[in-house]
Amino acid sequence: MSLVNIISAIGNNSSIYPLIVRDCGIEIPAKVGMTYYQNRSDKYIAYLGARERFVDEYAVSAVWLGGVPLIGKIADWAIKKSGFNPEISSKLYKEEEFQGLKYNIAKFKDKAPKEVAELEKALKNADKYRRCLAGKFLAQTIIPVALMGWVIPKMIFKWTAYSKQKHNRQCADRFEKERPLQSNGDITAEKKQSPAFKGVNVGSLAELTNLQKLIMIDGGYAAGRVATARKRNEAYDIAFRMSGMMYLNYLFPKQLEKASNFLTEKALKTNMDLDVKLLANNEFLDSVRQGQFELPKSAKPKDLIEFVDNKPEAMFTKYANEFGKVKMLNDKIRDPRAYVDFKALGQFRNSIQNFMVMAKSGATDMELVNSVEKFAKKAKGVKTANILGNVIITSSLLAFGLPKLQFKFREWITGSKLEPGIIN
């Protein structure tokens, strides 16, 4: 994977790639170290706390990064066994002006007969197919939420409780050997109340995007962690951390991206809308220089869909497919099973037009080649700096800022710096 592709991936705050970089590469090691440091007044508590955080964070990451995609593939296999193609968007059941199951069946009947047959089956068996998609969604949310919110913490808590009991027995044995004449007191294990399981109402939410599913899963994960807390103070501690994590993972990066793009565009007169992969694409830049890049007449749905369907080999259609704005079966036919987000496609069209205008602004025909190349290079550099800055700032807040606030909150609530779920 090239550096440009890496920057592009971590700069997409509507995907999981920035979360992977922040979570596994930066946050977890920092959180483990800070947990140990926060509990340093009691070395054994510090050891148990750091061990809990290490196992917990990486186990949860493993479930999300490996388990969720695996469940999705298994669900897709089951849907195919039921006779449906899981690539058919359920959004197409709602007939719109330029798309829908009936609309696409009529439009693509001769162009894509195999795909149209799949659409006809989904239309004829609408309830059954919707249940299949809902089952996939529920499997991809309930199973990870149960694992991350209940199973993993309970296993870790049992491991800690076992370690504490073993440690206490060892301490008691040493005490008796050193003070043989002292009467023995009853050593009783700390009683722990197992909080009742509180189910997460996921409902029939098959229409959610991947990012919305991720937010839903993490919301259920947070609720599970609060519900499985060993003590009330630990529940408060976890709730504070999880709410901060949700904000910094999902809302703050987009807010920061919007603000930084606005400021740099105003200050440096540089377009911030396009992906760095497109800004580094020589084919795209050459077509802009030569005035050969053709766009739909406007960002209206009618103009967009007519352009894509009538000009499938145009560069705009090619890049719209590459960047996930439309889905093509091949170089000639749009996939009738996929839903087209006209708002996203229109924004993509306008972003390219904006780049073309700004790149050519004030340049003569003789200067056009250097002007476009210079502008694209500047835009790519500023965009890369914004992306890396976003990752660094967000990761720093998640890895250092949030834990420090959590520790301050813990001291205020409990009066102690130690892990509230581990101390007696």
Side-chain angles (χ1 to χ4, degrees):
M1 196 179 202
S2 69
L3 180 60
V4 170
N5 289 338
I6 293 172
I7 295 296
S8 172
I10 65 175
N12 183 3
N13 285 308
S14 294
S15 73
I16 68 169
Y17 294 110
L19 300 177
I20 295 172
V21 173
R22 293 196 298 263
D23 191 48
C24 296
I26 301 173
E27 294 168 39
I28 296 177
K31 287 176 181 177
V32 172
M34 290 184 70
T35 298
Y36 186 89
Y37 183 78
Q38 175 68 12
N39 294 275
R40 66 190 182 282
S41 61
D42 187 319
K43 290 187 176 181
Y44 188 64
I45 296 294
Y47 161 73
L48 290 178
R51 187 181 72 177
E52 279 196 353
R53 178 58 60 87
F54 178 87
V55 175
D56 183 20
E57 295 283 353
Y58 278 113
V60 166
S61 294
V63 170
W64 171 244
L65 298 176
V68 174
L70 178 62
I71 293 169
K73 289 182 179 180
I74 294 172
D76 284 345
W77 174 83
I79 292 173
K80 288 178 181 178
K81 284 292 183 182
S82 299
F84 299 103
N85 190 323
E87 294 182 18
I88 298 174
S89 173
S90 60
K91 292 180 180 179
L92 293 174
Y93 279 109
K94 182 181 178 182
E95 294 292 328
E96 298 180 5
E97 189 175 4
F98 299 106
Q99 63 181 332
L101 283 179
K102 294 179 181 177
Y103 182 95
N104 286 4
I105 287 170
K107 183 172 184 176
F108 291 91
K109 195 165 189 177
D110 297 327
K111 296 179 181 178
K114 176 178 174 293
E115 288 72 21
V116 165
E118 294 173 353
L119 292 177
E120 289 175 335
K121 183 167 185 178
L123 180 62
K124 186 177 179 181
N125 302 277
D127 290 339
K128 184 178 179 181
Y129 183 59
R130 280 177 171 146
R131 285 196 297 270
C132 288
L133 292 181
K136 175 182 176 179
F137 169 78
L138 291 172
Q140 283 189 298
T141 51
I142 291 177
I143 294 174
V145 165
L147 288 173
M148 296 188 297
W150 277 270
V151 176
I152 291 174
K154 282 184 173 292
M155 291 179 67
I156 292 173
F157 294 164
K158 285 183 179 180
W159 188 18
T160 296
Y162 172 78
S163 298
K164 285 178 65 179
Q165 290 172 359
K166 184 178 178 180
H167 178 73
N168 290 340
R169 284 196 299 269
Q170 291 173 344
C171 290
D173 290 343
R174 285 198 300 269
F175 180 78
E176 288 191 10
K177 289 179 181 178
E178 293 172 1
R179 301 286 298 275
L181 299 177
Q182 182 172 328
S183 61
N184 295 329
D186 291 333
I187 301 174
T188 58
E190 177 186 358
K191 293 182 179 180
K192 304 183 294 297
Q193 283 188 331
S194 297
F197 180 91
K198 297 180 181 179
V200 180
N201 181 21
V202 293
S204 179
L205 302 171
E207 299 300 329
L208 291 179
T209 64
N210 288 333
L211 187 63
Q212 289 170 329
K213 288 178 184 178
L214 174 55
I215 295 171
M216 173 72 76
I217 290 171
D218 275 354
Y221 162 46
R225 286 308 171 94
V226 173
T228 53
R230 290 163 286 193
K231 299 175 183 178
R232 181 180 296 178
N233 284 339
E234 186 180 37
Y236 294 148
D237 192 59
I238 292 172
F240 184 89
R241 171 167 58 89
M242 297 302 289
S243 59
M245 180 205 72
M246 293 283 288
Y247 171 71
L248 290 174
N249 267 328
Y250 301 113
L251 294 178
F252 181 75
K254 291 188 175 183
Q255 293 171 346
L256 182 60
E257 179 187 26
K258 186 176 180 180
S260 61
N261 284 352
F262 174 80
L263 292 174
T264 51
E265 186 168 339
K266 289 294 182 182
L268 302 176
K269 305 297 182 184
T270 302
N271 182 277
M272 292 287 100
D273 295 337
L274 296 181
D275 193 289
V276 291
K277 285 198 296 184
L278 196 56
L279 294 171
N281 189 308
N282 289 327
E283 181 188 47
F284 168 68
L285 298 179
D286 285 341
S287 67
V288 173
R289 291 188 197 105
Q290 297 166 14
Q292 296 177 349
F293 196 97
E294 187 179 3
L295 288 170
K297 287 186 291 185
S298 76
K300 294 179 180 178
K302 182 177 184 296
D303 292 334
L304 292 170
I305 206 69
E306 285 183 355
F307 185 96
V308 169
D309 288 343
N310 295 333
K311 299 181 179 181
E313 296 179 355
M315 283 191 180
F316 175 80
T317 306
K318 173 185 174 181
Y319 293 130
N321 177 55
E322 182 179 337
F323 290 96
K325 310 306 177 184
V326 295
K327 185 178 179 183
M328 305 295 290
L329 283 174
N330 49 48
D331 293 337
K332 296 182 179 180
I333 303 172
R334 176 170 59 88
D335 191 342
R337 301 166 301 185
Y339 180 82
V340 179
D341 184 340
F342 287 117
K343 182 178 179 180
L345 184 60
Q347 288 175 343
F348 183 66
R349 181 255 177 213
N350 290 342
S351 294
I352 294 177
Q353 183 183 52
N354 188 27
F355 172 84
M356 292 166 66
V357 171
M358 294 181 73
K360 295 178 179 181
S361 179
T364 65
D365 291 340
M366 296 294 292
E367 298 169 337
L368 196 56
V369 172
N370 290 332
S371 176
V372 172
E373 185 176 352
K374 184 178 179 181
F375 184 82
K377 186 176 181 181
K378 181 182 178 183
K380 185 177 71 172
V382 175
K383 180 99 176 180
T384 298
N386 280 357
I387 290 172
L388 295 178
N390 193 309
V391 171
I392 291 170
I393 292 171
T394 306
S395 297
S396 298
L397 290 174
L398 280 162
F400 300 101
L402 179 59
K404 282 186 174 294
L405 278 176
Q406 179 193 352
F407 297 152
K408 291 290 184 184
F409 177 78
R410 177 188 298 172
E411 286 188 63
W412 178 62
I413 290 291
T414 68
S416 171
K417 294 183 178 181
L418 301 178
E419 294 289 321
I422 298 178
I423 59 176
N424 294 322

